[in-house]
Amino acid sequence: MRTPADRPRRRETGPGTGPESGTEPGTGTEPSTGTGTDTAPGGGSARAGRASWRPPLRAVAALLSGALPALAFPEPSLWWLAYAALVPWMLLIRTAPTGRRAAFEGWLGGMGFMIAVHHWLTPSLHVFLVVVAALLAAAWAPWGWLVRSMTGGVPSQARALAALAVLPSGWLMIELLRSWEGLGGPWGLLGASQWQVSPALRLASAGGVWLVSLLVVAVNTAIVLLIAVPRARAAVACGTALGALAAAALWSFAPRPVESGTARVAIVQPGVFEGAGSVERRFARGEELTLGLVGRDLDLVVWGESSVGADLRERPDLAARLAALSRATGAPLLVNVDARRTDASGRGGIFKSSVLVGPEGPTGDRYDKMRLVPFGEYVPARKLLGWATSVGRAAGEDRLRGERPVVMRLPDGGPRVGPLVCFESAFPDMSRRLVRDGAQLLVAQSATSSFQDSWAPEQHASLAALRAAESGRTAVHATLTGVSVVHGPDGSRIGRPLPTASSTAAVYGVPLAHGSTGYVRFGDWPVRGALAVLVALAAVRCSAPLRRRPAPGRGERPARTAHGSSGRPGR
């Protein structure tokens, strides 16, 4: 009879082994390294290396490293940083002792990212910004778990290659989720940080900002694997090279719109007006600047968001003044009315509307803003969250939404214009819809005066480059207080931007184009591809137990017990 000392000792597991660590997709097991222990960089066991990272220190590191990508966006605009900004965060997560801890550090980093990218909302939301960021950051918890699962421990070459597709796909699902208007909209998508990089804009024309986000996260993933997984470097290098060849093929062969003429568009930016009578004084300044454009042979004059503070049907005097400006300049005016009115269906309330005004007054072309800014223009679930109005500048009354997009045709054979209002220029699907409906020129009317001295005006203006490149149409971003800017069909900037400190008007000769980009034709195909990758991963992992099940008739030998054995039962 064997003593306890004679019995085989159960193999102990530590961080980096077993199902909690990163496992082979579909197997649930860690490939053997031949040593029985993981080694930490610089020598010593992985357990000892991880023990030196106490939970509070790891939490602070996760929060700060998650915020790092914000520096790639305007105003810092360190676009090159985006390709490595996720690396510290991902390296931290991969060493998490458990999958639950990895998810927690994913959540913390996501909260750091959301606060950093949206910090300029603090005057409006105050402490509620932290609450909102914490709620939205929950989307990064599964991604944190996924990072550890795919890169933790000592992943095989196959798992490292899979990580190059799986982790960018997981990130893209986060961006898709928070792009819903009710969750804040697609502000701060990682691909949008590349707004001034011509090759990235070319890729955006093929697959939208989504494709650029995939590329950026894939590069970060490759760097993490090259640093942390020496055994997989050759495979990662090959996978990265294949990805680069695919991107180069898209860059070379994606359809390009063809220029088909030009138009002359003026932007009127009156500047900041505050205090009593500010709406009337701003209107008067807009008049003054517009009269300075007489004789400039214009096709369109654009005023910014909320440039008119009363319904033109209720204020015929304002309509007459705008019509006089149209006659003087020889061009229609696209103004934006922020006022209470009753629409054709009988709904009464405050609308934000793009209104075209010609020599005889309003032409009848009107677009009512469809996607509203959460808390700025309406309070989601106001009965539950209405208290936000008492701690910040949240909307005291919900604006009403428009029901459909509108393409306006300018008189005398002018270009067809697709209007967007402020926040809507962040949504790639809206500009795509306008182009498919026949728009030749995209015009976004905006106002960021509430955030004048922050990163917000530059961030908002940069989105015009993405929308132009995606749609293959010139995008005009006209604001009340700056930054106003124009980007051509390839996303490149046209002329000089109008900064936040200026009260002025400028004329731009803008190229018109026809034809469709890959994004206009095929839509959000990178999102569908990313979803397919994650579904495939789930299918492989769910089928792993079936593959490990013993074949019929080949069961394991009976285990010995204290009372008997397979040879002498019942002893």
Side-chain angles (χ1 to χ4, degrees):
M1 178 174 179
R2 295 189 304 170
T3 66
D6 296 326
R7 296 172 189 165
R9 299 183 68 180
R10 182 179 180 182
R11 182 176 178 267
E12 294 182 0
T13 60
T17 65
E20 272 291 0
S21 73
T23 58
E24 290 284 4
T27 68
T29 61
E30 182 66 48
S32 172
T33 65
T35 66
T37 59
D38 293 340
T39 57
S45 70
R47 182 188 296 273
R50 289 165 190 162
S52 64
W53 281 81
R54 299 303 178 191
L57 181 60
R58 290 186 66 97
V60 172
L63 193 68
L64 295 179
S65 59
L68 189 59
L71 297 176
F73 295 89
E75 267 185 30
S77 291
L78 304 178
W79 62 266
W80 47 267
L81 182 62
Y83 294 94
L86 298 178
V87 170
W89 184 17
M90 295 174 72
L91 287 173
L92 177 71
I93 291 174
R94 76 173 292 274
T95 64
T98 65
R100 181 177 297 178
R101 181 71 197 190
F104 176 66
E105 290 171 359
W107 173 72
L108 282 176
M111 184 164 61
F113 176 78
M114 293 299 291
I115 292 174
V117 171
H118 299 86
H119 71 273
W120 44 267
L121 284 170
T122 303
S124 294
L125 297 182
H126 294 285
V127 69
F128 199 67
L129 174 61
V130 177
V131 177
V132 172
L135 292 174
L136 295 178
W140 273 276
W143 187 76
W145 178 89
L146 199 59
V147 168
R148 182 182 183 277
S149 176
M150 298 303 296
T151 67
V154 186
S156 67
Q157 294 190 16
R159 179 150 59 98
L161 277 175
L164 291 175
V166 169
L167 297 185
S169 297
W171 183 278
L172 204 62
M173 292 301 102
I174 299 170
E175 293 198 335
L176 179 67
L177 175 65
R178 68 185 187 85
S179 292
W180 179 49
E181 172 198 342
L183 294 180
W187 196 286
L189 302 186
L190 205 54
S193 67
Q194 306 303 296
W195 65 276
Q196 54 188 327
V197 182
S198 296
L201 291 173
R202 178 77 179 121
L203 289 179
S205 76
V209 68
W210 314 111
L211 182 58
V212 184
S213 286
L214 278 176
L215 171 68
V216 171
V217 182
V219 172
N220 278 272
T221 304
I223 294 174
V224 168
L225 293 168
L226 291 172
I227 292 173
V229 191
R231 64 181 285 183
R233 284 174 181 167
V236 171
C238 289
T240 303
L242 288 175
L245 287 174
L250 279 174
W251 189 91
S252 300
F253 299 112
R256 301 173 185 261
V258 179
E259 292 190 11
S260 56
T262 59
R264 289 178 59 79
V265 177
I267 295 177
V268 174
Q269 181 179 297
V272 177
F273 287 86
E274 297 178 330
S278 59
V279 175
E280 288 292 339
R281 288 185 285 118
R282 183 170 60 232
F283 187 96
R285 178 57 176 162
E287 275 185 302
E288 179 184 0
L289 292 171
T290 303
L291 287 172
L293 300 170
V294 172
R296 302 290 298 274
D297 190 24
L298 301 173
D299 294 293
L300 179 66
V301 178
V302 183
W303 287 21
E305 179 187 14
S306 303
S307 48
V308 179
D311 182 12
L312 295 179
R313 293 177 300 182
E314 300 294 328
R315 290 288 303 275
D317 57 317
L318 297 181
R321 290 162 68 180
L322 293 170
L325 293 174
S326 176
R327 291 192 296 271
T329 57
L333 275 64
L334 185 64
V335 300
N336 188 269
V337 178
D338 185 356
R340 190 177 303 277
R341 68 178 176 87
T342 302
D343 69 2
S345 63
R347 294 184 302 158
I350 301 175
F351 291 85
K352 282 192 176 180
S353 308
S354 299
V355 177
L356 194 64
V357 180
E360 305 302 320
T363 65
D365 289 312
R366 172 190 292 271
Y367 165 68
D368 296 327
K369 185 177 184 180
M370 298 171 63
R371 295 184 184 173
L372 305 177
V373 180
F375 298 99
E377 293 172 330
Y378 79 105
V379 175
R382 183 176 286 274
K383 290 184 178 180
L384 178 65
L385 301 177
W387 59 269
T389 60
S390 63
V391 297
R393 296 201 294 260
E397 177 182 352
D398 293 347
R399 262 58 171 184
L400 298 185
R401 304 171 185 272
E403 297 177 341
R404 63 185 184 279
V406 173
V407 175
M408 302 177 179
R409 182 180 292 274
L410 301 186
D412 302 324
R416 293 184 295 276
V417 174
L420 298 165
V421 182
C422 193
F423 178 60
E424 294 178 328
S425 68
F427 293 87
D429 66 298
M430 295 196 73
S431 52
R432 175 175 180 257
R433 168 68 184 274
L434 288 170
V435 171
R436 290 175 68 88
D437 287 348
Q440 297 171 289
L441 179 67
L442 300 175
V443 177
Q445 298 170 297
S446 178
T448 52
S449 56
S450 298
F451 315 103
Q452 194 71 357
D453 298 319
S454 71
W455 294 1
E458 290 279 0
Q459 285 186 11
H460 200 177
S462 70
L463 297 175
L466 273 300
R467 302 295 86 85
E470 291 167 342
S471 64
R473 300 294 186 269
T474 293
V476 176
H477 181 77
T479 74
L480 288 179
T481 59
V483 174
S484 297
V485 71
V486 178
H487 288 268
D490 61 353
S492 61
R493 181 181 285 170
I494 295 175
R496 62 180 181 87
L498 305 183
T500 54
S502 66
S503 174
T504 187
V507 177
Y508 300 86
V510 303
L512 304 177
H514 68 273
S516 294
T517 63
Y519 179 69
V520 170
R521 290 184 186 180
F522 304 113
D524 300 331
W525 62 265
V527 174
R528 296 190 290 272
L531 183 60
V533 167
L534 297 177
V535 169
L537 175 69
V540 169
R541 293 211 165 175
C542 289
S543 66
L546 299 178
R547 295 202 303 272
R548 291 198 300 269
R549 183 177 299 170
R554 299 182 61 185
E556 296 181 358
R557 294 177 60 186
R560 294 178 181 269
T561 70
H563 300 287
S565 69
S566 59
R568 289 182 293 177
R571 181 182 176 211

